[in-house]
Amino acid sequence: MKIIKVTTVFLSLSMLLTAVSCDKYLDINDDPNNIALDKVTPEEMLPVGITSCYSVQGRSLNKFSSVVMNATAGNSLVYGAPFIDDYKPNVSNTFYSDVWDGLFRGVANLDKVITFNDPTNKYVQHKAIAKIMKANYVQILTDLYGDMPYSEAFKGQDNLTPKYDKGEDIYKASIESIEEAIAALKTGTGDSPLSDIVFHGDNEKWVKFANTLELRYLLRMANVTGAMAAYRDQKLASLSGAQFIDEDVLENPGYSAANDAQQNPFTNYYVYLSSGTRAANFSENVASENIQIILNGNIEGDTRPVYQKFNGIVDGRRSRMFSLIGGKVLGIRQGNLPGQPGVPSGTAVSRFSYGITIGKETPPTLPNGSVNIPEYVKMASSKPGPIMTKAESKFLQAEAALRYPSLFSNAAGNFVAGITASYEFFGATGSAAYIAAIQSVPGLGWTGTDTNKMEAIMTQKWIALTGVNPEQSFFDYTKTGFPVTLSATIATNPKPNRLMYPLSEYIANANNVPAISNADVFSKNQYTPFWARN
């Protein structure tokens, strides 16, 4: 398996990231230390686009989604009142603005691959892969923000103030782009990308991933009506019988502990720097009481209704997802301070464990039984970045079969396969016993009404994507109301339906950016992502 040299990727990233980005960032000059865009080929640009998008997904987007879906909490044992804006939530034009800015930069790099002048069709496969990855991250953007620049975006100096396109039109254009990519990959035209840091030139896997991505787009539209519902149904029918991805979709340009820039970005955000120093977010970011109760099987006997379905069911993934304190996950109730309910005494609290920070493996120990930190840093630094997991693919297929049984089949089988894949992803054992324990529990196992089963899909998907791709569970909640996760004790607003456009847009594209208010974020209105208005 050929892996592009990490030095190439990160050298390109450092040179291009600020130059190849959302329109307002494009300012190419003749500095000989910078690479001119017309000199950068798709072979070099493709991994840059993928890694820069994942960096946002694995860091700030992961943090936002983990907190809003109550899997993590701020460490109030050490910090006075952490995550106040997340807990309220106070959603402003500076709230996680780096998600918009960073994803636009990464997507623009992918768009440069797609629009590269290629008269000999040398880069057909590169362009197809870039279309799939662009669609993946454009969906995240429009699901977070609704309408956004798309048709006029990424044109550099030719258009510094692109218009905003409707979310419906962005969805249609992205699905068309996915289908174009599939057709191109099936032809086999052009060179096989040596810089494919995901499937390493395996077009069959790219096609399966593209099918799965299109399915995710269409399922997001489950509640739409009218013309968009007719469009959704027509596209779903065309996917009936398609093959979907059956493995984790992982990107890795050659991450290592050589220096901070070459680490997996998740690692030096949440775990360790390459030097072995703890990452800045390690101390502050801990398990929530909510995830504690759920993974521990509500052993404390919490009487709140939301936790009753978990009674007595200890999740075998818990020690792989979060470190155990006294043999169990120990978290903090979001919004509470020491001395208040849900905040443990002392200073010990659970944090992300090896299944999230490394994957299936476990770092070696020293003769005294302690973890070999240098080896842990190497393993965590080199872990691949998850773009979509096999578990998510299986849960999407379960949802499709539950909603559209005439087009898709094996809902129960895919549901069970999703749980099994999650156990495998985290390197946990005991999936069969867990599946047996939940099989008669509505909303957690495959039993009861279709609503119960939908709740079970979304609950299990949330557990499986905790610390991995939690933004997908935020979108699921916005669409279905599941999984039910409590808000922080100091919350003054419900969970948001979207984020606000960043300050950078109001400065650089003021004539086009919609003027939404803080109240619009929490209301169902014309600014809500189109698929979440019903």
Side-chain angles (χ1 to χ4, degrees), residues 183-195:
L185 288 168
K186 287 182 176 180
T187 68
T189 303
D191 291 352
S192 180
L194 298 177
S195 61

Side-chain angles (χ1 to χ4, degrees), residues 44-266:
E44 296 159 330
M45 185 71 80
L46 181 61
V48 176
I50 295 171
T51 54
S52 54
C53 285
Y54 170 71
S55 180
V56 179
Q57 184 180 18
R59 302 178 92 184
S60 54
L61 181 57
N62 189 306
K63 181 181 177 183
F64 160 72
S65 306
S66 296
V67 177
V68 75
M69 292 307 296
N70 206 341
T72 61
N75 188 359
S76 60
L77 295 171
V78 175
Y79 299 88
F83 295 0
I84 293 295
D85 287 340
D86 294 78
Y87 288 164
K88 289 289 187 179
N90 294 322
V91 181
S92 67
N93 58 23
T94 58
F95 184 73
Y96 288 98
S97 59
D98 55 335
V99 172
W100 170 283
D101 293 338
L103 284 180
F104 257 100
R105 292 187 187 103
V107 170
N109 287 330
L110 295 169
D111 193 71
K112 294 305 174 187
V113 175
I114 297 168
T115 59
F116 185 82
N117 184 26
D118 183 29
T120 64
N121 292 326
K122 177 182 176 69
Y123 297 112
V124 170
Q125 295 181 47
H126 297 74
K127 290 171 178 279
I129 292 171
K131 284 182 177 182
I132 295 168
M133 294 307 303
K134 178 183 176 182
N136 180 66
Y137 287 107
V138 162
Q139 185 184 29
I140 291 175
L141 275 165
T142 193
D143 286 353
L144 282 171
Y145 295 97
D147 299 349
M148 58 176 258
Y150 184 82
S151 61
E152 294 183 0
F154 319 120
K155 299 186 185 301
Q157 298 297 327
D158 293 334
N159 189 350
L160 296 175
T161 55
K163 72 173 184 178
Y164 273 59
D165 293 282
K166 295 293 185 184
E168 297 94 320
D169 295 332
I170 295 170
Y171 257 54
K172 286 183 176 180
S174 294
I175 290 171
E176 180 181 359
S177 188
I178 292 170
E179 292 174 348
E180 290 172 352
I182 292 172
L185 288 168
K186 287 182 176 180
T187 68
T189 303
D191 291 352
S192 180
L194 298 177
S195 61
D196 176 0
I197 61 172
V198 181
F199 293 126
H200 313 294
D202 191 325
N203 287 1
E204 183 178 346
K205 291 180 180 179
W206 275 112
V207 169
K208 290 179 181 179
F209 173 46
N211 286 335
T212 313
L213 180 58
E214 182 170 349
L215 181 64
R216 189 170 75 187
Y217 264 91
L218 297 171
L219 290 176
R220 196 82 85 223
M221 295 189 282
N223 298 329
V224 301
T225 58
M228 284 303 291
Y231 168 82
R232 174 203 64 208
D233 292 346
Q234 180 262 320
K235 290 296 183 181
L236 282 168
S238 70
L239 269 184
S240 181
Q243 290 186 308
F244 302 107
I245 195 67
D246 196 41
E247 63 183 79
D248 299 319
V249 182
L250 309 171
E251 61 83 43
N252 195 340
Y255 292 131
S256 76
N259 55 59
D260 292 353
Q262 293 191 351
Q263 289 181 282
N264 181 307
F266 173 93

Side-chain angles (χ1 to χ4, degrees), residues 355-367:
I356 293 175
T357 61
I358 294 177
K360 297 178 175 66
E361 298 179 338
T362 300
T365 57
L366 298 172

Side-chain angles (χ1 to χ4, degrees), residues 425-497:
F425 181 89
F426 291 129
T429 59
S431 61
Y434 176 78
I435 291 166
I438 66 172
Q439 64 182 354
S440 61
V441 182
L444 191 59
W446 197 258
T447 189
T449 65
D450 283 357
T451 299
N452 293 144
K453 292 173 181 176
M454 188 62 66
E455 180 180 2
I457 291 171
M458 298 308 169
T459 301
Q460 292 295 345
K461 189 175 174 185
W462 169 73
I463 296 171
L465 297 185
T466 291
V468 183
N469 298 136
E471 77 283 347
Q472 295 304 319
S473 289
F474 171 63
F475 301 140
D476 287 337
Y477 173 81
T478 305
K479 180 181 75 173
T480 68
F482 300 126
V484 178
T485 59
L486 300 179
S487 296
T489 57
I490 61 172
T492 54
N493 288 310
K495 297 185 193 299
N497 295 314

